[in-house]
Amino acid sequence: MESKVVDGKATPRGKYPHIKRAGDFLIVSGTSSRRADNTIAGADVDAMGTARLDVKVQTRAVLENIRDILASAGAGLEDVVEISTYLVNMNDFGGYNEVYGEFFDYDGPARTTVAVHQLPHPHLMIEIRALAYKPLQVR
């Protein structure tokens, strides 16, 4: 088994890898819209401290982060076989689902979406974990 923390991505908020290979499978840890500098895509805070959160921007950033993490292991979104999505508010399901459809179609991964009480930062609206199938190359 091989584990990796990917350069150029937000450092995990605990001692775990961004991605782990187990045989022909790649497991991407729960991923958010955090950038490498720890700012959050889809979370803007004005001078008064009021946050404006956008689930569509966050969803796009999460899926792009997952795409980049998979690329670090020679895989892509086309290799994803299962997605688990955690939304803080199911009222955001429509926006999430719209953006998700830009990345995947009916032949895409199996998917589960659940509501959770909260995520590790109050500006995070969504987190996604992914399982990809990318057979090891025989050398």
Side-chain angles (χ1 to χ4, degrees), residues 48-69:
M48 298 299 292
T50 302
R52 187 180 65 73
L53 307 178
D54 188 324
V55 74
K56 291 180 182 180
V57 172
Q58 286 198 19
T59 301
R60 189 170 288 106
V62 171
L63 292 170
E64 289 169 351
N65 281 337
I66 290 171
R67 180 193 61 210
D68 295 346
I69 292 166

Side-chain angles (χ1 to χ4, degrees), residues 1-128:
M1 285 195 279
E2 176 186 342
S3 300
K4 182 189 307 188
V5 172
V6 180
D7 290 334
K9 291 293 159 191
T11 303
R13 295 184 63 135
K15 292 188 176 185
Y16 58 88
H18 286 118
I19 189 167
K20 185 172 195 78
R21 177 176 279 284
D24 290 339
F25 288 95
L26 295 165
I27 301 97
V28 178
S29 294
T31 301
S32 72
S33 62
R34 281 191 315 128
R35 301 179 184 110
D37 66 359
N38 275 324
T39 60
I40 297 171
D44 298 310
V45 181
D46 67 19
M48 298 299 292
T50 302
R52 187 180 65 73
L53 307 178
D54 188 324
V55 74
K56 291 180 182 180
V57 172
Q58 286 198 19
T59 301
R60 189 170 288 106
V62 171
L63 292 170
E64 289 169 351
N65 281 337
I66 290 171
R67 180 193 61 210
D68 295 346
I69 292 166
L70 287 166
S72 78
L77 291 174
E78 67 277 5
D79 300 306
V80 175
V81 296
E82 192 270 338
I83 291 271
S84 295
T85 301
Y86 308 94
L87 290 173
V88 173
N89 188 335
M90 271 300 169
N91 290 329
D92 294 322
F93 184 84
Y96 148 69
N97 212 35
E98 179 182 326
V99 173
Y100 183 92
E102 297 171 12
F103 290 82
F104 300 106
D105 205 338
Y106 290 105
D107 62 348
R111 186 180 92 176
T112 300
T113 304
V114 298
V116 295
H117 173 67
Q118 62 187 20
L119 291 169
H121 189 284
H123 295 163
L124 293 176
M125 307 171 75
I126 182 171
E127 181 173 297
I128 299 175

